[in-house]
């Protein structure tokens, strides 16, 4: 199993929108609507931001949204704020009942 | 509010066994899946495996021959053992609890503990 593919970095100015992609295969991302997204600030544990492709846990800002098409999932953050600067990881359930993470994307708010 | 706390040695010698424990407080350990996830310094997350409160477990294929995750419900703890470690196993190790009804959705995490493999 190889890690899901994410861009190494993305950037945007405050108020703008950015999208982070997460590409897998027909055995993981494409097989189920079980894609999650996590936010990780330096030195901290990851925080769940999106689950089951597009659902937000209680307390997560509506500025975070998710979608999926085929083997690629996406996380969109609208109205960028300085506090959004962090690393973002996608994850997917797989056909062999394991969990696969993406390589991570560093978001810089300019 | 559930809390998870990792504990164990921060330094392990090559070829030895890494052993970590996660203590779950603020709630019953029952009815949930519990996972170990690691992150090498400066790198991404890697899921290691999970155990259900019933005792059934599953592991990532690349580590399956070296990993054992176990559960002690009487102590509200679950543990990780990783044998024959090398420098490549140096990482921050997180314990996590999945959201109820899920095994792949990590809603509660420990703070993480750095384990260095070195002689």
């Amino acid at each position: 199993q190889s890690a899901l593919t994410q861009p190494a970095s993305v950037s945007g100015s405050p108020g703008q929108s950015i999208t982070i992609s997460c590409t897998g295969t027909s055995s993981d991302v494409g097989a189920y609507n079980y894609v999650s997204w996590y936010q990780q600030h330096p030195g901290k544990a990851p925080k769940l931001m999106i689950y089951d492709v597009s659902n937000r846990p209680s307390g997560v800002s509506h500025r975070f949204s998710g979608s999926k098409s085929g083997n690629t999932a996406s996380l969109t953050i609208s109205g960028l704020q300085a506090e959004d600067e962090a690393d973002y990881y996608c994850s997917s359930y797989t056909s062999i009942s394991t969990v696969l993470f993406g390589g991570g994307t560093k978001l810089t708010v300019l | 509010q559930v809390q998870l706390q990792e504990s164990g040695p921060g330094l392990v010698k090559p070829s030895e066994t890494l052993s970590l424990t996660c203590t779950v407080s603020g709630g019953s350990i029952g009815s949930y899946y519990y996972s170990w996830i690691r992150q090498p310094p400066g790198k991404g997350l890697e899921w290691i495996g999970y155990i259900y409160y019933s005792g059934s477990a599953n592991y990532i294929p690349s580590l399956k021959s070296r990993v054992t995750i176990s559960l002690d419900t009487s102590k509200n703890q679950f543990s990780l053992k990783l044998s024959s470690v090398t420098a490549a196993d140096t990482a921050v190790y997180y314990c996590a609890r999945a959201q109820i009804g899920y095994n792949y959705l990590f809603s509660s995490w420990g703070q993480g503990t750095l384990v260095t493999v070195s002689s």
Side-chain angles (χ1 to χ4, degrees):
Chain A
Q1 287 182 304
S2 298
L4 306 175
T5 301
Q6 298 181 232
S9 62
V10 297
S11 62
S13 299
Q16 288 186 333
S17 295
I18 63 94
T19 296
I20 299 171
S21 62
C22 170
T23 301
T25 69
S26 57
S27 296
D28 38 70
V29 175
Y32 313 97
N33 287 327
Y34 297 158
V35 176
S36 307
W37 290 90
Y38 296 85
Q39 176 192 64
Q40 186 181 36
H41 286 109
K44 300 294 187 183
K47 175 188 175 184
L48 180 65
M49 304 300 285
I50 295 286
Y51 68 96
D52 291 353
V53 175
S54 59
N55 295 298
R56 275 185 307 275
S58 174
V60 172
S61 170
H62 285 72
R63 298 184 297 104
F64 291 83
S65 62
S67 62
K68 193 189 88 166
S69 177
N71 295 338
T72 298
S74 298
L75 171 71
T76 297
I77 308 173
S78 58
L80 268 181
Q81 299 179 0
E83 68 208 49
D84 300 332
E85 185 162 295
D87 293 328
Y88 290 85
Y89 293 91
C90 61
S91 75
S92 176
Y93 190 64
T94 79
S95 59
I96 56 171
S97 301
T98 61
V99 179
L100 207 51
F101 281 98
T105 298
K106 181 177 180 59
L107 169 61
T108 300
V109 180
L110 302 170
Chain B
Q1 180 79 359
V2 68
Q3 290 187 319
L4 294 90
Q5 179 68 57
E6 304 90 350
S7 59
L11 181 64
V12 180
K13 289 183 169 54
S15 81
E16 295 189 345
T17 296
L18 178 160
S19 296
L20 295 174
T21 296
C22 182
T23 301
V24 182
S25 58
S28 168
I29 203 167
S31 303
Y32 291 92
Y33 283 86
Y34 296 90
S35 280
W36 286 97
I37 296 158
R38 69 180 182 179
Q39 185 172 34
K43 296 188 178 180
L45 301 167
E46 180 180 46
W47 176 81
I48 297 171
Y50 60 59
I51 189 165
Y52 191 44
Y53 83 104
S54 64
S56 63
N58 195 24
Y59 309 115
I60 192 171
S62 59
L63 295 177
K64 196 168 188 175
S65 63
R66 298 196 290 131
V67 174
T68 301
I69 298 177
S70 59
L71 192 65
D72 187 338
T73 55
S74 67
K75 294 183 179 178
N76 264 26
Q77 294 178 334
F78 64 104
S79 299
L80 169 71
K81 289 190 186 299
L82 180 64
S83 63
S84 304
V85 297
T86 70
D89 296 310
T90 293
V92 173
Y93 284 76
Y94 293 100
C95 60
R97 190 183 80 172
Q99 192 158 306
I100 194 162
Y102 293 81
N103 57 4
Y104 60 87
L105 199 59
F106 312 115
S107 53
S108 300
W109 295 66
Q111 63 185 27
T113 187
L114 175 63
V115 178
T116 302
V117 178
S118 175
S119 55

